[in-house]
Amino acid sequence: MGKEAAPGEHPPKGATDDVIWRQLPAVSSLLNTEKGRALVQEFSHHQVVSAIRHTLAQIRQELRSRVEAFPPSAAVILEQATAFLRRQQQRSLRRVINATGIIIHTNLGRSSLAEEARQAIFEIAGGYSNLEYDLESGERGSRQGHVEELLCRLTGAEAALVVNNNAAAVLLALQTVAAGREVIVSRGQLVEIGGSFRIPEVMAASGAILVEVGTTNKTKLADYSRAINERTAVLLMVHPSNYRITGFTASVSLEELISLGQQKGLPVMFDAGSGYLLDLGVEALAAEPVVQKAIQSGAALVTFSGDKLLGGPQAGIILGRRELIARMRSNPLARALRIDKLSLAALEATLRLYLDPMTARTRIPTWRRLTLPMEEIERRAKALTEMLQRVQPELAISIEPQESQAGGGSLPEEGLPTLAVTIRHPLLSAEGLARRLRQNDPPIIVRVAHQQVLLDPRTLEAEEFSFIAEALSKIGGGQKAE
Ligand SMILES: *Cc1c(COP(=O)(O)O)cnc(C)c1O
């Protein structure tokens, strides 16, 4: 090491900040050490200076809050600055490997996009596009034009509008058709979804007045009927998604509510949640509302997410009557909630895949995972087991019947049968092993049950197996448990 500032002396009792500060080496002297010069080579002068300043400021802060404190040596300061530079170099938002078997995992980014959608993002991101430009006339166009017709064709709706997410869709719809007026909802449907979307709160934000009818477990058509008055704007139905009321229950079907709405001349709005367009008879999805059916039944507005069962990017889709959609389009809030061009590109590409249901099933990862045949799951489970056993013979690995989950609010109870690869480490606890896997690059996210780590091949791609094997081999089998 080159010129090194010696560790400072203990500051005299009652030292002021100024005294402590003067005992720390100067930025220029730190830069002038061997280590400092190496860092400048690796990063840049600008970044190293700013990392050193940041580190010195932190040390100053720490010294201030302690009575007995020695200023650290130059080597220690540079070590801290290096750690800061390395942390800064790594992107915070990173790809992870999802071995949990939860297909639409909200914390892990919900749906993975089809190759077609990824290509569309790549192409549109790198250049200019006809986002709001009509190539025919050479005049201004609408970003909605890229998907509206497609959505109408796929669902049978009269008109469509896409926004940032489904929460925005519900907000815009209610604000447009019901601000200052009453919206009737069953008490059993005042749900909270994903910890932040609460129907009563979205309703309040829209300026609509919530009228709750029925009780938590029972709501009858007569309850809606009695609540209708001249201030009523909409009858709202919300798919409870992540929650079921079972036992002594009664609820009104969408069809019944629509026929009541027709009698009273009131529109029915349906928040379908998931965007289920592909009724392939997946047993675990039997309770999910199919979007086309809701439109066919005569719902005036249907809203859903782009990144749940639809398998596309984050987006909110509003389908419905032409006149209502037109009012939403000219609502100033629509501008604040509008979809960005990259999501729009991915959404259009995803929707195009639905023009042929078999293509959608095989090209959209969410659907591929939902309908993965048991033989394929078994094949993957065996291949993964073999690979792991080979790199890490000390692990106790077996294959066990388990359940995967659709996730994303679909189906709180029913799982999809799967075969999980279970791992026990000779020294690490299951939680400890899960933590080590999470710290891997790329991070591997697993489920822990019955003191075992579970890897569900349903949400893993074959290319990801080698990352898991490598991670386990790095963790090792014989070292001391933490
Ligand atoms: C998920 C969900 C929402 C929120 O959708 P985001 O796209 O996450 O904003 C709203 N309503 C229902 C019924 C849902 O299931």
Side-chain angles (χ1 to χ4, degrees):
M1 264 237 169
K3 188 176 143 222
E4 255 210 44
E9 283 162 24
H10 189 265
K13 271 212 158 65
T16 62
D17 292 346
D18 200 40
V19 170
I20 295 170
W21 181 232
R22 268 192 269 118
Q23 291 198 347
L24 287 170
V27 176
S28 58
S29 80
L30 288 163
L31 280 172
N32 225 359
T33 59
E34 204 177 303
K35 173 82 182 162
R37 281 191 294 268
L39 283 177
V40 170
Q41 278 286 312
E42 188 182 345
F43 297 91
S44 67
H45 181 82
H46 179 86
Q47 287 201 77
V48 176
V49 168
S50 110
I52 290 176
R53 288 213 177 109
H54 173 88
T55 306
L56 288 173
Q58 262 187 343
I59 291 169
R60 209 160 29 144
Q61 199 69 39
E62 281 161 25
L63 291 177
R64 247 183 221 148
S65 58
R66 266 182 263 153
V67 198
E68 304 273 326
F70 293 91
S73 69
V76 168
I77 296 170
L78 285 169
E79 211 44 63
Q80 276 189 42
T82 309
F84 176 75
L85 283 164
R86 299 237 179 279
R87 273 201 308 280
Q88 225 180 14
Q89 216 180 19
Q90 184 161 57
R91 278 205 324 261
S92 165
L93 183 57
R94 296 153 72 195
R95 181 164 187 174
V96 307
I97 292 174
N98 175 11
T100 65
I102 302 169
I103 301 171
I104 305 166
H105 196 307
T106 294
N107 301 145
L108 303 185
R110 291 192 179 160
S111 283
S112 345
L113 296 179
E115 175 67 31
E116 287 80 353
R118 286 169 5 223
Q119 278 299 326
I121 290 181
F122 188 76
E123 185 186 320
I124 298 308
Y128 297 107
S129 61
N130 62 338
L131 180 64
E132 291 185 349
Y133 185 80
D134 183 345
L135 293 172
E136 200 66 46
S137 65
E139 281 162 18
R140 193 193 162 145
S142 155
R143 69 177 65 208
Q144 299 291 336
H146 303 290
V147 289
E148 184 175 17
E149 211 182 290
L150 197 49
L151 278 166
C152 293
R153 180 136 50 104
L154 291 171
T155 61
E158 263 180 35
L161 183 68
V162 296
V163 289
N164 183 51
N165 58 14
N166 189 30
V170 174
L171 178 66
L172 178 63
L174 289 174
Q175 217 272 340
T176 308
V177 301
R181 297 174 65 205
E182 294 180 0
V183 176
I184 304 178
V185 198
S186 160
R187 275 209 175 83
Q189 294 171 6
L190 294 175
V191 292
E192 170 175 310
I193 292 144
S196 52
F197 179 88
R198 286 177 160 183
I199 289 290
E201 287 169 14
V202 174
M203 186 102 58
S206 76
I209 299 151
L210 170 65
V211 178
E212 302 172 36
V213 296
T215 59
T216 306
N217 59 335
K218 281 200 173 201
T219 302
K220 303 187 182 108
L221 200 59
D223 296 323
Y224 287 93
S225 212
R226 265 198 302 276
I228 293 174
N229 62 49
E230 67 288 350
R231 294 178 303 276
T232 308
V234 184
L235 307 178
L236 174 65
M237 181 158 280
V238 181
H239 178 57
S241 295
N242 53 2
Y243 144 104
R244 292 278 173 282
I245 298 172
T246 54
F248 184 63
T249 66
S251 60
V252 171
S253 72
L254 180 64
E255 290 72 21
E256 289 171 298
L257 194 63
I258 289 168
S259 85
L260 176 66
Q262 279 160 354
Q263 277 170 42
K264 308 278 183 176
L266 285 170
V268 170
M269 171 171 156
F270 180 43
D271 177 9
S274 229
Y276 189 23
L277 294 189
L278 201 62
D279 190 358
L280 293 176
V282 178
E283 210 179 312
L285 299 177
E288 281 301 304
V290 178
V291 168
Q292 292 92 329
K293 282 191 195 146
I295 295 288
Q296 214 167 36
S297 308
L301 291 170
V302 178
T303 67
F304 54 89
S305 291
D307 53 358
K308 292 184 182 170
L309 283 176
L310 191 74
Q314 179 188 307
I317 292 147
I318 313 174
L319 304 175
R321 284 198 212 138
R322 192 168 290 119
E323 172 263 333
L324 297 175
I325 298 285
R327 277 166 56 196
M328 283 177 215
R329 209 177 293 243
S330 52
N331 184 331
L333 196 56
R335 171 60 194 259
L337 304 175
R338 80 178 179 185
I339 189 167
D340 85 292
K341 64 178 179 178
L342 300 185
S343 306
L344 187 64
L347 181 63
E348 183 194 356
T350 305
L351 290 170
R352 286 198 183 281
L353 297 172
Y354 277 94
L355 291 171
D356 177 52
M358 264 343 267
T359 307
R361 194 194 75 69
T362 52
R363 304 293 302 163
I364 296 174
T366 297
W367 276 98
R368 219 163 40 225
R369 289 167 189 159
L370 280 166
T371 59
L372 203 64
M374 198 38 111
E375 308 84 75
E376 174 61 18
I377 294 179
E378 187 171 0
R379 212 184 52 71
R380 290 187 191 183
K382 283 184 175 156
L384 179 60
T385 304
E386 265 170 43
M387 192 188 280
L388 300 186
Q389 204 76 75
R390 208 168 44 238
V391 299
Q392 205 39 274
E394 287 164 87
L395 297 176
I397 304 179
S398 62
I399 296 177
E400 203 175 85
Q402 274 286 342
E403 285 195 339
S404 317
Q405 274 165 37
S410 339
L411 277 294
E413 291 141 33
E414 289 106 301
L416 300 141
T418 192
L419 291 170
V421 174
T422 71
I423 306 178
R424 272 177 209 269
H425 193 276
L427 296 171
L428 293 172
S429 68
E431 297 291 349
L433 182 57
R435 184 169 56 247
R436 299 283 287 269
L437 289 167
R438 211 157 58 226
Q439 288 161 350
N440 189 64
D441 183 22
I444 299 160
I445 316 298
V446 301
R447 250 171 70 201
V448 170
H450 308 112
Q451 286 88 52
Q452 301 184 105
V453 160
L454 303 187
L455 306 172
D456 188 337
R458 191 189 283 278
T459 50
L460 291 171
E461 299 298 326
E463 311 86 83
E464 295 174 324
F465 291 1
S466 58
F467 287 113
I468 301 175
E470 212 175 290
L472 284 169
S473 133
K474 266 189 266 166
I475 291 166
Q479 76 213 55
K480 210 166 149 44
E482 60 210 81

